[in-house]
Amino acid sequence: MKISTNIVAGAAGALLLNVIHELARKNIKDAPRVNELGEEGVVKISEAMGVKPPTGNKLYASTLAYDFVGNAFYYSAVGKGKSKNIWLRGLGLGLTAGIGAIALPKKIGLDDQPVNHSKLTQVLTVAWYTLGGLAAAAAAELLKESPSNGESE
């Protein structure tokens, strides 16, 4: 698949993930608060770079943008390799991202409570990242070129 197609597929997965996170955090008591992790990360990175971190709506918006771009590039890997494995790659990328989202924050110096405050929160975190990976796979499947147009199977 072309790089641009992979990025579009990745963006589809990232978009679905962000929409789910935003809707759920406003409506489900034990929903993961990935935005809080992201905001803490933006503040720490800004401070480490000697830059005044954004606050309020600017912090929220920049975190959402960084999260979208990072996830889009991550999920864009779904289109690399043989087309017959797109769905397995989407599943694997999603599961890996979800497990990483609950396992890594504390290890990198972030408060892990937003994704680990209950078993339901952990399950939802993994489930939503997995849905993002599968959405990227679905988009890649829809966007892939036909074999006659040069795609390698």
Side-chain angles (χ1 to χ4, degrees):
M1 294 181 96
K2 293 181 184 177
I3 291 174
S4 59
T5 301
N6 292 343
I7 292 172
V8 170
L15 179 63
L16 177 67
L17 176 63
N18 281 4
V19 167
I20 290 171
H21 277 302
E22 287 300 302
L23 289 174
R25 77 177 180 85
K26 294 174 183 176
N27 296 298
I28 300 173
K29 177 182 169 264
D30 278 341
R33 303 290 192 257
V34 176
N35 59 304
E36 293 174 16
L37 277 177
E39 288 175 357
E40 184 182 359
V42 168
V43 168
K44 286 188 174 195
I45 290 169
S46 297
E47 290 172 346
M49 294 173 53
V51 176
K52 184 180 178 193
T55 58
N57 288 337
K58 286 184 181 181
L59 176 60
Y60 172 78
S62 61
T63 299
L64 197 60
Y66 293 139
D67 187 53
F68 175 78
V69 170
N71 284 318
F73 278 106
Y74 175 77
Y75 286 136
S76 72
V78 77
K80 290 305 213 180
K82 294 185 178 184
S83 293
K84 68 180 181 175
N85 296 325
I86 285 175
W87 289 99
L88 285 175
R89 276 193 305 279
L91 178 64
L93 286 165
L95 285 171
T96 302
I99 292 167
I102 60 176
L104 294 177
K106 197 170 201 167
K107 293 179 185 341
I108 61 172
L110 299 175
D111 178 11
D112 70 341
Q113 281 304 105
V115 290
N116 280 314
H117 72 270
S118 74
K119 290 292 180 195
L120 178 58
T121 306
Q122 293 172 332
V123 168
L124 291 175
T125 299
V126 174
W128 294 340
Y129 277 96
T130 301
L131 287 174
L134 293 173
E141 185 75 22
L142 289 171
L143 295 168
K144 74 179 180 181
E145 299 174 87
S146 69
S148 63
N149 288 337
E151 181 185 272
S152 60
E153 293 291 322

